[in-house]
């Protein structure tokens, strides 16, 4: 086996590892959301309130920061952090299942899955460096976050609708960029056996997909 074949096979295994962890995270979130919105609905409604959401949100941010710092130092902690994050996010996503009808949620999920897979394929197979796309998307994301804060006071449904479309464009670009970034990081660090880096990249893909899903939900709910 020559060196090029060895690297290609290693890269494929690393992609499989990233997507395996990503898939487990989505499954955990889906199961948590389903259980909270059906089996444990009464208990969930009794516990959930605005303060609970704020605490969960802050804890999720802390988890992301910890995982970003520990990806290389502590792979086990990074993987555990991602699984806990997926569980907590599934709990918060259950509100989406309770707020919107099944048809809206299903249509949004299918649309986000198709968009995600299409952009992931672009990121995996395109040769052009997508770093500029990633930087641009992050810059626009900061601007959108400011708009979202402003809209908390304006409560404009039109602005919210516009923001949702922009978020789809942003996270479509980030999906392609993050999938190319997996390849870049593998060749930089030879990270085939690094569960920490694989878990961290799985988190990036997870965030891309979930934010696509939430944006599509808001759009289809309005339609």
């Amino acid at each position: 086996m020559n060196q090029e074949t060895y690297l290609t096979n290693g890269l494929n295994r690393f992609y499989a590892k990233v997507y395996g962890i990503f898939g487990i995270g989505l499954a955990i979130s889906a199961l948590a959301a389903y259980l909270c919105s059906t089996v444990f609905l009464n208990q969930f409604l009794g516990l959930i309130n605005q303060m609970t959401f704020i605490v969960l949100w802050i804890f999720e941010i802390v988890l992301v920061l910890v995982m970003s710092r520990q990806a290389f130092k502590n792979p086990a902690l990074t993987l555990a952090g991602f699984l806990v994050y997926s569980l907590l996010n599934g709990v918060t996503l259950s509100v989406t299942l309770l707020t919107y009808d099944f048809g809206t949620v299903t249509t949004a999920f299918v649309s986000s899955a198709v968009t995600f897979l299409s952009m992931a394929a672009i990121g995996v197979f395109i040769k052009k460096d997508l770093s500029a796309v990633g930087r641009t998307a992050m810059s626009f994301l900061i601007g959108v976050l400011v708009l979202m804060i402003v809209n908390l006071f304006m409560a404009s449904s039109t602005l919210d609708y516009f923001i949702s479309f922009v978020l789809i464009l942003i996270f479509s670009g980030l999906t392609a960029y993050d999938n190319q970034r997996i390849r870049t990081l593998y060749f930089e660090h030879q990270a085939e056996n690094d569960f920490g880096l694989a878990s961290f990249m799985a988190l990036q893909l997870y965030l891309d997909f979930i934010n696509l899903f939430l944006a599509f939900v808001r759009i289809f709910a309005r339609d």
Side-chain angles (χ1 to χ4, degrees):
M1 181 183 297
N2 59 40
Q3 182 69 11
E4 183 178 353
T5 302
Y6 175 80
L7 290 175
T8 300
N9 290 340
L11 175 61
N12 291 337
R13 287 192 293 270
F14 187 61
Y15 264 110
K17 187 179 299 180
V18 172
Y19 269 88
I21 297 171
F22 164 68
I24 291 172
L26 280 184
I28 290 173
S29 295
L31 179 61
Y34 172 76
L35 291 176
C36 287
S37 60
T38 55
V39 180
F40 302 109
L41 177 59
N42 292 331
Q43 295 89 330
F44 176 71
L45 294 178
L47 291 173
I48 204 70
N49 54 49
Q50 186 176 15
M51 180 57 64
T52 307
F53 260 97
I54 292 174
V55 171
L56 288 175
W57 181 68
I58 293 174
F59 190 57
E60 287 181 11
I61 292 176
V62 171
L63 277 176
V64 171
L65 293 175
V66 170
M67 284 185 282
S68 66
R69 290 180 175 274
Q70 298 296 319
F72 289 101
K73 300 176 183 177
N74 195 329
L77 179 62
T78 305
L79 177 60
F82 172 67
L83 298 179
V84 172
Y85 181 90
S86 301
L87 177 63
L88 294 178
N89 206 47
V91 173
T92 58
L93 282 174
S94 61
V95 177
T96 300
L97 299 182
L98 294 172
T99 304
Y100 302 103
D101 62 82
F102 180 77
T104 298
V105 173
T106 302
T107 304
F109 180 83
V110 172
S111 300
S112 56
V114 171
T115 302
F116 180 88
L117 291 174
S118 300
M119 299 309 297
I122 291 174
V124 170
F125 295 110
I126 195 171
K127 301 300 182 183
K128 180 180 173 64
D129 184 9
L130 297 178
S131 297
V133 174
R135 289 192 298 269
T136 301
M138 290 302 298
S139 298
F140 275 102
L141 181 59
I142 294 172
V144 168
L145 290 175
V146 172
L147 280 178
M148 292 175 72
I149 294 173
V150 171
N151 201 38
L152 289 176
F153 302 96
M154 295 176 55
S156 169
S157 59
T158 301
L159 181 57
D160 183 67
Y161 197 56
F162 170 75
I163 288 173
S164 297
F165 276 105
V166 176
L167 284 173
I168 289 174
L169 294 176
I170 289 173
F171 284 101
S172 293
L174 285 175
T175 298
Y177 166 69
D178 286 332
N179 274 275
Q180 186 180 82
R181 190 177 168 207
I182 294 172
R183 181 175 66 205
T184 302
L185 290 176
Y186 173 77
F187 285 120
E188 284 181 356
H189 301 285
Q190 292 293 291
E192 178 190 343
N193 295 315
D194 192 334
F195 266 101
L197 185 57
S199 300
F200 182 70
M201 289 312 302
L203 172 67
Q204 308 308 305
L205 299 184
Y206 177 93
L207 292 173
D208 295 337
F209 182 85
I210 292 298
N211 281 288
L212 281 171
F213 170 68
L214 292 175
F216 274 116
V217 163
R218 289 193 292 270
I219 289 173
F220 289 124
R222 173 163 173 155
D223 292 340

